[in-house]
């Protein structure tokens, strides 16, 4: 049995029941096999893979809080500090009822490789709680965040572990947690990212994931001798990532013809008018179908996803598993020649197989949406320097990082003769840097 298979078999026995984590671990370690086999003896001796698949530590704690009616509740809080070989742990906090240890281990494991790809000194981590912020008052969310941080503060710090937002944790929650951290420790330091601009947040952070997605897409298509200019682009979602991906794609001369939400999608053959979307989604907090009231030449398709629309490029920016094998086939049959993922894991395994088989350009989310965490790391740099960079400075660095990620991924794929298989390229490129650092730091 190969070293990779041996480690995975042992992992399955040790963590039976952690389905999400085991699936993520299998997908990654299968694809890094060529890089492991090239150094198998040294890695085996150093128990490198056995260490890579186990978090350095997992902190679990109770989070007691009181609702507005005086009723007491207890949620579970977690921080998975997965790997600090190349920098302090970095990764979001998720507040959602589905949160459990397996999901956070899966997300933390993925984060190690995504963060490594950015080229910045950040390790991998993830955390959160099974608390559901939906339907809670501001005061309840604040009390919960304060209670959560009253425990978490012991384990994080600007040079130790720097959490950020994720599902259910936006600017409001980061603000409340930052306030409590400062109150308890007396430290004004960059311990969280995604902060408000008035207390250490970074310009261009809201734009970063969507812009970064389009920067890497642009580099990928240019290297294939194609162009974003005049390309027809289909985008799903209409939240933060989708909006800024639309903006940057339009700036680079592409025509974005769809956006969606969980109820349906809009099709505008003349190109999405983003000012209308900003008004509906960010000011009125409405639904995407309202777009057709303002732009009567557009159409709304209730209960459908946009993957049947003819396009050159697809940028899924909504949620996990939103493109299945059938959707991918439709895209390919309609002439789509590139897919890049703004969302985390939007394509299921069948869809990825279909892209690779058809040899269309495909950049997985781990590389394509790394602009968000990269800009969070730029926020950490600004906090350490006690400086605020201009929008243009941050955006320029973001662009360089995304172009750099494309080349790292493409070169790693090529080095192991996987040519345009950027899934393998992204995993290997992310792995090699972490592996080098772990080997150099000895048996820790
Ligand atoms: P938002 O909450 O701002 O927007 C999410 C969008 O996706 C909304 O339009 C939402 O519609 C839609 N959506 C959610 N669930 C579904 C569903 N089941 N079917 C169809 N549409 C759905 O999130 P973000 O834009 O920040 O994040 C989008 C994706 O990008 C997520 O996968 C996230 O993990 C990933 N990501 C985000 C980063 C960031 O910096 N924001 C960084 C890296 C990855 P509705 O309003 O109906 O719920």
């Amino acid at each position: 049995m190969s070293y990779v298979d041996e480690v995975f078999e042992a992992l399955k026995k040790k963590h039976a029941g952690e389905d999400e984590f085991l699936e993520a671990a299998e997908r990654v370690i299968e694809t890094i096999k060529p890089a492991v086999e090239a150094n198998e003896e040294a890695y085996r001796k150093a128990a490198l893979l056995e260490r890579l698949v186990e978090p350095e530590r997992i902190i679990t704690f109770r989070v007691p809080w009181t609702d507005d009616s005086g009723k007491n509740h207890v949620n579970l809080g977690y921080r998975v500090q997965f790997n600090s070989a190349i920098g302090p742990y970095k990764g979001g906090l998720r507040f959602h009822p589905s949160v459990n240890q397996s999901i956070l281990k899966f997300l933390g494991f993925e984060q190690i490789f995504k963060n490594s790809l950015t080229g910045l000194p950040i390790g991998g981590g993830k955390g959160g709680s099974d608390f559901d912020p939906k339907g809670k008052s501001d005061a309840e969310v604040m009390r919960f965040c304060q209670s959560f941080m009253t425990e978490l503060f012991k384990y994080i710090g600007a040079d130790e572990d720097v959490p950020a937002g994720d599902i259910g944790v936006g600017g409001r929650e980061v603000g409340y947690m930052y306030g409590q951290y400062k109150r308890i420790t007396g430290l004004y330091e960059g311990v969280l990212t995604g902060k408000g601009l008035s207390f250490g947040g970074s310009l261009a952070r809201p734009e970063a994931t969507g812009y970064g997605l389009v920067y890497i897409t642009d580099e990928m298509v240019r290297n294939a001798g194609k162009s974003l200019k005049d390309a027809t682009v289909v985008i799903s979602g209409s939240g933060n990532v989708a909006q800024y991906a639309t903006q940057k794609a339009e700036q680079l001369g592409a025509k974005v013809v769809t956006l969606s939400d969980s109820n349906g999608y809009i099709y505008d053959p003349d190109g999405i008018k983003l000012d209308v979307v900003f008004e509906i989604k960010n000011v009125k907090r409405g639904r995407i179908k309202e777009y057709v009231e303002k732009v009567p030449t557009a159409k709304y398709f209730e209960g459908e996803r946009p993957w049947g629309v003819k396009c050159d490029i697809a940028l899924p920016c909504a949620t996990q598993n939103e493109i299945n094998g059938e959707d991918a086939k439709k895209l390919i049959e309609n002439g789509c020649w590139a897919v890049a993922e703004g969302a985390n894991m939007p394509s299921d395994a069948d869809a990825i197989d279909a892209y690779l088989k058809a040899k269309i350009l495909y950049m997985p989310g781990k590389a394509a949406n790394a602009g968000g965490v990269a800009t969070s790391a730029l926020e950490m740099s600004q906090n350490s320097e006690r400086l605020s960079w201009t929008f243009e400075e941050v955006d320029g660095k973001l662009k360089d990082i995304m172009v750099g990620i494309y080349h790292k991924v493409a070169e790693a794929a090529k080095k192991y003769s996987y040519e345009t298989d950027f899934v393998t390229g992204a995993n290997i490129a992310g792995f090699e840097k972490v592996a080098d650092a772990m080997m150099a730091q000895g048996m820790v």
Side-chain angles (χ1 to χ4, degrees):
M1 205 188 273
S2 75
Y3 177 39
V4 164
D5 293 336
E6 258 176 47
V7 172
F8 187 63
E9 283 309 310
L11 194 71
K12 273 201 297 195
K13 282 200 193 111
K14 209 186 288 183
H15 298 293
E18 293 191 350
D19 295 345
E20 296 86 355
F21 170 60
L22 289 173
E23 191 190 332
E26 185 174 24
R27 280 212 212 177
V28 170
I29 63 181
E30 269 302 311
T31 53
I32 61 173
K33 226 175 197 172
V36 173
E37 281 169 0
N39 294 287
E40 181 160 333
E41 206 186 318
Y43 287 169
R44 199 188 265 277
K45 196 164 163 229
L48 181 88
L49 287 185
E50 291 88 333
R51 289 187 286 136
L52 187 73
V53 295
E54 288 297 342
E56 289 175 22
R57 74 190 60 75
I58 301 176
I59 298 133
T60 316
F61 48 94
R62 67 170 184 243
V63 189
W65 60 282
T66 307
D67 70 20
D68 290 345
S69 71
K71 189 167 174 223
N72 294 319
H73 303 263
V74 179
N75 284 96
L76 278 177
Y78 305 87
R79 187 69 181 161
V80 179
Q81 297 183 330
F82 221 120
N83 193 300
S84 63
I86 64 170
Y89 312 103
K90 178 100 199 85
L93 296 171
R94 176 174 291 191
F95 290 171
H96 192 271
S98 65
V99 161
N100 60 37
Q101 185 165 300
S102 168
I103 288 180
L104 295 178
K105 278 177 71 178
F106 136 57
L107 293 165
F109 189 64
E110 287 280 309
Q111 195 82 43
I112 302 170
F113 305 98
K114 183 188 292 197
N115 291 2
S116 166
L117 278 173
T118 66
L120 300 170
I122 39 178
K126 197 84 191 182
S129 171
D130 58 357
F131 172 73
D132 186 358
K134 278 207 183 96
K136 305 289 188 300
S137 71
D138 254 7
E140 288 171 333
V141 169
M142 183 177 76
R143 285 196 293 277
F144 177 82
C145 288
Q146 289 177 340
S147 180
F148 184 83
M149 186 51 85
T150 301
E151 192 60 33
L152 187 69
F153 91 95
K154 298 168 192 165
Y155 312 103
I156 61 175
D159 294 313
E160 197 179 350
D161 183 354
V162 184
D166 188 63
I167 293 172
V169 179
R172 175 182 64 169
E173 291 75 14
V174 168
Y176 291 150
M177 286 191 277
Y178 188 72
Q180 184 73 351
Y181 179 86
K182 187 164 61 67
R183 181 191 194 192
I184 297 172
T185 62
L187 295 172
Y188 205 105
E189 59 171 14
V191 69
L192 290 165
T193 59
K195 299 187 291 298
L197 277 180
S198 56
F199 58 100
S202 175
L203 283 165
R205 176 62 188 90
E207 291 83 356
T209 307
Y211 277 23
L213 168 67
V214 177
Y215 290 144
I216 197 168
T217 306
D218 186 43
E219 191 63 17
M220 174 172 75
V221 306
R222 285 198 297 115
N223 276 272
K226 297 184 182 242
S227 170
L228 272 183
K229 189 155 174 11
D230 299 327
T232 300
V233 179
V234 159
I235 296 184
S236 62
S238 48
N240 172 267
V241 180
Q243 290 174 13
Y244 288 107
T246 303
Q247 186 170 67
K248 187 50 73 180
E250 289 180 347
Q251 284 171 7
L252 297 187
K255 185 159 81 170
V256 178
V257 293
T258 66
L259 284 178
S260 69
D261 60 23
S262 46
N263 296 110
Y265 79 90
I266 51 159
Y267 172 63
D268 186 341
D270 303 320
I272 297 288
K273 280 128 206 97
L274 202 54
D275 51 335
V276 176
V277 177
F278 281 149
E279 173 73 20
I280 295 169
K281 298 304 289 190
N282 305 350
V283 180
K284 293 202 326 225
R285 308 265 164 211
R287 307 302 299 162
I288 200 65
K289 70 175 173 200
E290 293 164 36
Y291 183 90
V292 296
E293 291 161 20
K294 309 264 183 220
V295 185
T297 47
K299 287 199 176 106
Y300 174 66
F301 298 85
E302 176 79 21
E304 288 186 42
R305 289 174 298 182
W307 314 124
V309 174
K310 194 169 161 45
C311 67
D312 298 303
I313 299 170
L315 303 177
C317 295
T319 189
Q320 65 273 8
N321 292 329
E322 54 171 319
I323 305 185
N324 60 30
E326 287 303 309
D327 298 323
K329 256 192 236 151
K330 257 190 280 172
L331 279 169
I332 295 162
E333 277 163 18
N334 280 335
C336 172
W337 45 261
V339 177
E341 297 178 338
N344 280 316
M345 295 213 184
S347 307
D348 75 7
D350 294 340
I352 296 172
D353 284 347
Y355 307 146
L356 296 179
K357 211 163 137 211
K359 290 197 182 322
I360 66 167
L361 297 169
Y362 167 56
M363 190 55 74
K366 188 178 290 155
N369 68 33
V373 73
T375 308
S376 281
L378 299 179
E379 182 176 328
M380 289 163 70
S381 302
Q382 294 169 76
N383 294 161
S384 301
E385 285 188 332
R386 304 262 186 268
L387 289 174
S388 296
W389 302 340
T390 63
F391 185 95
E392 288 70 26
E393 277 176 282
V394 179
D395 187 38
K397 287 182 202 299
L398 168 66
K399 186 169 179 190
D400 290 346
I401 290 167
M402 298 313 295
V403 168
I405 292 177
Y406 168 77
H407 288 284
K408 271 182 235 166
V409 168
E411 276 156 28
K414 206 162 179 190
K415 180 170 157 194
Y416 292 97
S417 305
Y418 281 78
E419 299 308 324
T420 52
D421 175 353
F422 296 148
V423 180
T424 301
N427 284 335
I428 290 182
F431 165 74
E432 283 187 333
K433 182 177 176 189
V434 176
D436 280 356
M438 288 176 73
M439 292 298 283
Q441 290 169 21
M443 198 60 189
V444 291

